[in-house]
Amino acid sequence: MKKTVTRLADGRELIYYDAEDGARESGGRDAADRRALDPVVSASEIRLDRLLGEHVAIASHRQGRTYQPPADSCPLCPSTEAWHSEIPAGSYEVAVFENRFPSLSGANGRCEVVCFTSDHHASFAELSEERAALVLAAWTDRTAELSARPGVAQVYCFENRGAEIGVTLAHPHGQVYGFPFTAPRTAAMLRNAAGHRARTGRNLFEDVLAEERAGERVVLAGEHWTAYVPYAARWPYEVHLQPHRRVADLTGLGAEARAEFPSVYLELLRRFDRIFGPDAPPTPYISAWHQAPVDGPGREEFALHLELFTVRRASGRLKYLAGTESGMGAFMNDVSPESAADRLREVASR
């Protein structure tokens, strides 16, 4: 992998990632940002909900962020003579830049945008295995870099896909957040892992993975990864993808797990697009990497895993959070995890 670091007109960092075999042809990485940009004043603030013990980011400046622009004005496409985007180069493989409208900034963390391809009309599922491997390398590099930044407590890599999810830009992309705190979901997993260790002397994540691999909800399995629908899935179609060797975050993955990941993950995404039949529009989803906090108690007990889920429960029907879920955090799933696993096996690539 070749990494090229540069700056945008307002001083934000931009990083190009190119495969080694394509690095010689990666022209334009020194292209200057020709826009006249004033720095966006971030009003990001972190507040603590003392009743729940959870942090909330207040980012009122994001009300003015770019919202569903036409394809010829996409800020994530390569720049042309007629359109100067966030990426000055005329083409790119994978590009990462600081978000112009971040939820977290300065002492309150960092937000980055990850562009998976310069093709505006593509999707992650349509990437080659080589490109998916390059994205994994970029995620890993960003995890290492942000983990070393003062004030970052946890790194979160994720993709929101589809208008139903609330995506404001159609170009295939994801984000990386450097949280200045441990996210609530992670904190809950750490508490349960500590309790499980105290009761049994074993690791909770390893025990759950072993039970799922022996059960009926496995969707697909490789030599180094297993994808399964969890026993208590919250979402209509939810899959957890976990490496067999427990590591705390992406930087701990070995070479064999890295090599196998693209084929397994791309197959999962392609199955998601087939869940609701050949005539259904692309399946909206959230893909979320769960990584351990940068340091602190419990890091050694955590297990890296990816959670992939959709808010679509049937063709033409979305799963809206009901009052019990939005108000109390008590989820009710209309699709049994076993039937979801059956469907995800049925739509395997032929």
Side-chain angles (χ1 to χ4, degrees):
M1 180 186 74
K2 179 182 179 182
K3 176 181 175 182
T4 306
V5 181
T6 183
R7 293 279 174 179
L8 295 172
D10 56 5
R12 287 176 295 128
E13 195 171 32
L14 166 66
I15 309 109
Y16 295 103
Y17 294 89
D18 293 286
E20 286 293 344
D21 58 359
R24 291 184 298 273
E25 302 175 3
S26 59
R29 299 300 178 259
D30 57 351
D33 185 357
R34 292 183 283 174
R35 298 171 298 172
L37 292 180
D38 293 325
V40 173
V41 178
S42 172
S44 177
E45 179 186 356
I46 303 298
R47 299 183 181 181
L48 177 66
D49 182 332
R50 292 187 295 165
L51 295 181
L52 295 177
E54 297 177 1
H55 293 87
V56 177
I58 309 298
S60 57
H61 64 284
R62 284 175 51 80
Q63 286 282 46
R65 68 187 184 274
T66 307
Y67 182 77
Q68 296 184 353
D72 60 0
S73 300
C74 174
L76 308 186
C77 285
S79 290
T80 65
E81 288 298 323
W83 170 246
H84 302 320
S85 74
E86 291 277 56
I87 303 172
S91 67
Y92 65 86
E93 294 186 50
V94 175
V96 178
F97 61 88
E98 289 183 71
N99 198 324
R100 184 163 166 76
F101 302 96
S103 300
L104 308 167
S105 60
N108 292 327
R110 176 156 160 139
C111 294
E112 300 179 341
V113 177
V114 183
C115 301
F116 306 136
T117 171
S118 60
D119 185 351
H120 181 84
H121 301 287
S123 69
F124 202 119
E126 295 171 324
L127 300 181
S128 66
E129 290 189 15
E130 291 75 17
R131 179 60 58 83
L134 184 59
V135 175
L136 176 62
W139 281 332
T140 304
D141 181 73
R142 301 322 302 155
T143 295
E145 292 250 344
L146 268 61
S147 294
R149 290 176 64 90
V152 171
Q154 184 179 15
V155 179
Y156 175 45
C157 306
F158 64 103
E159 179 192 3
N160 297 335
R161 189 272 192 105
E164 299 93 332
I165 296 294
V167 172
T168 58
L169 298 174
H171 194 107
H173 73 287
Q175 299 181 68
V176 181
Y177 275 27
F179 285 118
F181 52 80
T182 298
R185 287 279 301 278
T186 307
M189 285 188 263
L190 290 173
R191 288 193 300 271
N192 288 327
H196 187 80
R197 174 68 73 180
R199 291 190 304 273
T200 68
R202 299 191 303 271
N203 180 267
L204 174 61
F205 294 93
E206 291 177 348
D207 281 1
V208 168
L209 179 61
E211 291 165 10
E212 292 289 3
R213 290 184 68 193
E216 59 182 315
R217 290 177 299 277
V218 171
V219 173
L220 68 111
E223 186 177 352
H224 303 284
W225 297 83
T226 291
Y228 61 90
V229 178
Y231 172 73
R234 299 180 175 208
W235 299 97
Y237 292 90
E238 175 184 337
V239 174
H240 291 192
L241 177 61
Q242 187 168 337
H244 297 166
R245 184 177 71 86
R246 179 166 58 89
V247 296
D249 60 30
L250 287 166
T251 66
L253 286 176
E256 292 177 330
R258 291 184 183 282
E260 186 180 75
F261 172 79
S263 62
V264 175
Y265 185 50
L266 289 171
E267 171 64 13
L268 268 184
L269 293 180
R270 291 162 186 167
R271 291 190 192 189
F272 258 58
D273 273 344
R274 293 194 288 265
I275 291 173
F276 304 104
D279 299 324
T283 301
Y285 65 74
I286 291 176
S287 176
W289 280 109
H290 292 277
Q291 305 197 85
V294 172
D295 54 28
R299 175 177 167 83
E300 70 282 354
E301 287 291 316
F302 200 84
L304 169 77
H305 60 285
L306 182 142
E307 179 183 5
L308 176 68
F309 65 91
T310 180
V311 296
R312 185 179 290 164
R313 59 185 177 88
S315 182
R317 298 180 182 180
L318 297 181
K319 158 69 177 178
Y320 293 101
L321 292 187
T324 55
E325 294 155 329
S326 294
M328 294 299 288
F331 275 69
M332 283 77 175
N333 194 348
D334 297 331
V335 179
S336 77
E338 291 72 26
S339 63
D342 284 341
R343 179 58 181 160
L344 286 164
R345 288 191 293 265
E346 288 173 1
V347 295
S349 296
R350 297 293 186 265

